[in-house]
Amino acid sequence: DDLGNIGYSARAIEGYEHDFFRMLDMPATTRTPKIVCDYGYGSISSTLPQMLGHLGVENIGINAYNDSKLAPRSREEIARHVSNLRHIVGTLNYDFGVLFSQEGERIIIVDEQGEVISHYKLLGMMSLLIARSNPGAKIALNVMAPDRLKELLPAEKAQILISRADSRSRLAVAAHEKV
């Protein structure tokens, strides 16, 4: 009793989903994307499948329950998950697969050809996609981002905001600058 209580916001997930879809500007499409999601035993598995379904995405989830002891951390564990994802995407002829790690903070993509897209390559692809689809976009990058990306984005009329290398600093810059 002396320490206090931990309170949980009622319907926080529903509020997040509502705000997410309110802000999302999705183009109409006639094709249903098909993806495989390896949730890496993280809590993201409790919200993302429903959100993908709401978007009309056909998705198959694996490792979709919360168990931090099984979550992939080492390079070997991540490589095993990526190899499995590559096999499933190819076998099912899906568009791509995504491995979510560190509670959804990091992702690795496997495309339909089995190519792994991660780290700075993924950062570059996503940044260019945002810059090209949103002229004048503000994109927060950390100081360690590749110089080539810092050259390409202004050419696409994007504004680059530089932060320290940690995630918290990047989020602070993004929040302050309304990215």
Side-chain angles (χ1 to χ4, degrees):
D1 288 338
D2 294 331
L3 296 177
N5 296 317
I6 296 176
Y8 296 98
S9 177
R11 304 184 56 83
I13 293 172
E14 291 85 354
Y16 171 80
E17 289 176 1
H18 177 268
D19 290 343
F20 177 83
F21 289 119
R22 183 176 49 83
M23 296 177 70
L24 190 64
D25 184 21
M26 286 291 296
T29 180
T30 57
R31 188 175 170 284
T32 301
K34 300 186 302 184
I35 67 172
V36 180
C37 296
D38 181 338
Y39 293 105
Y41 304 103
S43 59
I44 193 170
S45 64
S46 64
T47 57
L48 193 57
Q50 181 177 338
M51 293 176 73
L52 291 171
H54 182 80
L55 292 171
V57 174
E58 181 179 322
N59 67 93
I60 293 176
I62 58 175
N63 304 317
Y65 61 94
N66 199 0
D67 189 339
S68 62
K69 293 177 192 158
L70 296 174
R73 288 184 182 82
S74 69
R75 287 184 182 195
E76 294 79 19
E77 291 169 335
I78 291 171
R80 215 172 19 256
H81 280 255
V82 169
S83 176
N84 188 39
L85 197 57
R86 183 184 278 152
H87 176 74
I88 295 169
V89 169
T91 300
L92 297 177
N93 199 29
Y94 267 40
D95 297 316
F96 64 95
V98 182
L99 169 60
F100 296 93
S101 62
Q102 297 181 7
E103 293 295 332
E105 287 186 19
R106 297 194 182 269
I107 64 172
I108 296 174
I109 295 179
V110 176
D111 72 9
E112 74 280 1
Q113 303 297 317
E115 181 180 348
V116 177
I117 304 166
S118 62
H119 300 95
Y120 287 125
K121 183 174 184 178
L122 181 59
L123 173 65
M125 291 174 71
M126 295 301 294
S127 297
L128 285 171
L129 176 66
I130 291 166
R132 290 176 179 164
S133 59
N134 299 290
K138 294 179 181 179
I139 299 175
L141 299 175
N142 73 44
V143 295
M144 302 300 290
D147 290 337
R148 181 72 179 127
L149 185 56
K150 293 174 187 173
E151 294 167 6
L152 288 172
L153 290 175
E156 298 291 337
K157 308 290 188 262
Q159 180 183 352
I160 299 174
L161 307 171
I162 301 295
S163 76
R164 290 183 294 200
D166 62 292
S167 299
R168 177 173 276 171
S169 295
R170 228 176 4 266
L171 290 173
V173 166
H176 182 265
E177 296 290 333
K178 297 184 179 167
V179 175

